[in-house]
Amino acid sequence: MNNLRPVGVIGTGKYVPEKILTNSDLEKMVDTNDEWIVSRTGIKERHIAAPDQATSDLAYEAAIKALESAGMTGSDLDLIIVATITPDSAFPSTACILQDKLGAKGAAAFDLSAACSGFVYGLATATSFIKSGLYNNALVIGADCLSRITDYTDRNTCVLFGDGAGAVIVGEVPEGRGFKSFDLGAEGAGGSLLQLEGGGSRLPASAETIENKKHYIYMNGREVFKFAVRVMGTATLEVLNKAGLDRSDVDLFVPHQANIRIIQSAMQRLDLPEEKVVVNVDKYANTSAASIPLALVEAAEEGRMKAGDTVLMVGFGGGLTWGASVLVW
Ligand code: UT7
């Protein structure tokens, strides 16, 4: 990236709903077992939104904490980006709902759809806007309520997903810190490997789409797994290259939390020891756009980064998409 003003993370917050769904709970719902889920995915439990909670409610809780940690209120924001594939409704955007709730009068607000890569796409978007001088303080949130689009009779998918939200405030930081590079990409040809077909302009909601379960996530797990392993490696090396850094420069690796085996393959490729890798897939499962910010914010809360550390985030997901970023904390 060019040498316009340095932009980085100046506040963090996260939220997960109270209710926990464990593997043993799922054993009572579908033909599965704790041993299969843990050995194939690393997941032990996930959080599930209450019936009266929508994505904007999870996002709001995370946003309030991020604003507090930045010493700001909603009125300090001039941009709000919510990365999500489970907006409260098709429109208005979840970002606009949030803008109102936060009292961020006049701030630009929009949702961003890049599935599990959405948060990194959102960081790149906010950083570009701020570097250009168009805006100063952006709220970037990854929030999803995947439980609302999960078929709890399908063991192939229902064990994998959870709900949550992670938020950061993006703004100007001291020289030498902030975002050093991004690598975003997509392979639209693989879109049908991971999708929710119903409810859009191609297949509007109807009795037939409901009967055919078109309002639930469909995933070809094996093919997505192969894509994930490939792009986690290539995107990571590419984003390091763009930042002029080497694998050994990474102090903390914050990968998308979809499957422990995918994370381990990236660790091997990058030759990273466990203490440099954030893993919380066991507690939250795959929360889509919330996954990377939940991991990043949790690591910050646990004091795992100090000023000047090099943090590498990388995610992949529906689209198919990927996104990686190097951030000096
Ligand atoms: O963020 C979005 C991106 N999504 C992902 O990253 C997911 C990527 N894919 C994966 O993580 C893995 O492919 C899965 C965890 C989804 C599946 O693991 P796998 O090792 O690829 O298993 P598989 O699909 O090859 O299935 C192996 C067997 C099958 O039985 P058969 O056909 O061999 O008899 C499945 O029916 O495991 C069966 N199976 C289950 N068994 C018990 C699938 N789900 C379950 C389950 N419990 N929940």
Side-chain angles (χ1 to χ4, degrees):
M1 284 193 294
N2 60 30
N3 289 326
L4 299 170
R5 62 177 169 165
V7 172
V9 170
I10 56 175
T12 58
K14 71 175 199 328
Y15 175 78
V16 287
E18 260 174 52
K19 185 186 166 185
I20 292 175
L21 184 69
T22 64
N23 290 351
S24 72
D25 294 331
L26 282 161
E27 284 175 3
K28 295 173 198 125
M29 296 159 68
V30 287
D31 180 15
T32 190
N33 56 77
D34 180 60
E35 196 281 326
W36 190 96
I37 302 172
V38 173
S39 63
R40 299 291 181 112
T41 71
I43 299 165
K44 293 181 181 152
E45 56 190 37
R46 65 289 287 144
H47 290 246
I48 303 293
D52 63 349
Q53 281 181 313
T55 297
S56 70
D57 300 313
L58 313 189
Y60 176 77
E61 299 295 336
I64 288 291
K65 290 180 192 148
L67 284 168
E68 258 171 38
S69 90
M72 289 182 179
T73 65
S75 60
D76 295 310
L77 297 171
D78 45 21
L79 174 64
I80 298 175
I81 301 174
V82 178
T84 187
I85 51 165
T86 50
D88 288 23
S89 54
F91 69 90
S93 69
T94 301
C96 281
I97 295 169
L98 207 57
Q99 188 242 25
D100 179 42
K101 275 178 134 179
L102 292 171
K105 275 206 170 73
F110 62 90
D111 288 357
L112 193 157
S113 174
C116 312
S117 316
F119 180 70
V120 180
Y121 267 66
L123 292 177
T125 308
T127 300
S128 308
F129 275 137
I130 297 171
K131 278 191 180 282
S132 76
L134 194 56
Y135 297 115
N136 291 308
N137 297 314
L139 170 64
V140 179
I141 303 191
D144 267 309
C145 257
L146 291 185
S147 62
R148 297 288 150 75
I149 55 168
T150 296
D151 177 1
Y152 284 98
T153 66
D154 174 16
R155 70 174 184 175
N156 290 297
T157 52
C158 75
V159 302
L160 303 174
F161 303 121
D163 302 336
V168 296
I169 310 292
V170 176
E172 191 165 351
V173 291
E175 207 57 56
R177 291 170 61 184
F179 292 104
K180 298 297 168 190
S181 61
F182 287 100
D183 183 55
L184 309 179
E187 282 181 16
S192 61
L193 296 174
L194 179 51
Q195 66 176 351
L196 188 152
E197 275 188 285
S201 57
R202 177 77 57 198
L203 267 189
S206 67
E208 203 184 336
T209 60
I210 291 170
E211 195 181 333
N212 293 328
K213 301 192 168 193
K214 296 294 184 190
H215 299 275
Y216 291 129
I217 300 171
Y218 163 80
M219 180 170 71
N220 179 331
R222 276 178 214 183
E223 288 306 314
V224 174
F225 191 96
K226 285 189 230 162
F227 167 78
V229 168
R230 171 164 59 86
V231 299
M232 289 279 272
T234 51
T236 303
L237 295 177
E238 183 60 25
V239 83
L240 280 171
N241 186 35
K242 284 182 182 173
L245 296 174
D246 186 69
R247 291 183 283 193
S248 59
D249 295 313
V250 176
D251 295 305
L252 198 68
F253 183 60
V254 185
H256 172 41
Q257 308 284 314
N259 185 321
I260 191 67
R261 292 185 291 142
I262 297 172
I263 297 174
Q264 283 163 346
S265 79
M267 283 166 65
Q268 275 167 11
R269 179 122 177 219
L270 298 166
D271 201 15
L272 284 171
E274 259 176 42
E275 62 272 18
K276 287 190 173 184
V277 182
V278 181
V279 175
N280 61 16
V281 67
D282 53 327
K283 292 191 292 185
Y284 305 131
N286 182 348
T287 55
S288 191
S291 151
I292 291 179
L294 275 178
L296 179 78
V297 175
E298 192 157 89
E301 287 171 356
E302 289 169 358
R304 291 184 68 179
M305 294 98 103
K306 56 181 189 316
D309 275 358
T310 298
V311 177
L312 198 158
M313 292 174 254
V314 60
F316 58 88
L320 299 170
T321 55
W322 71 86
S325 176
V326 169
L327 165 67
V328 174
W329 193 251

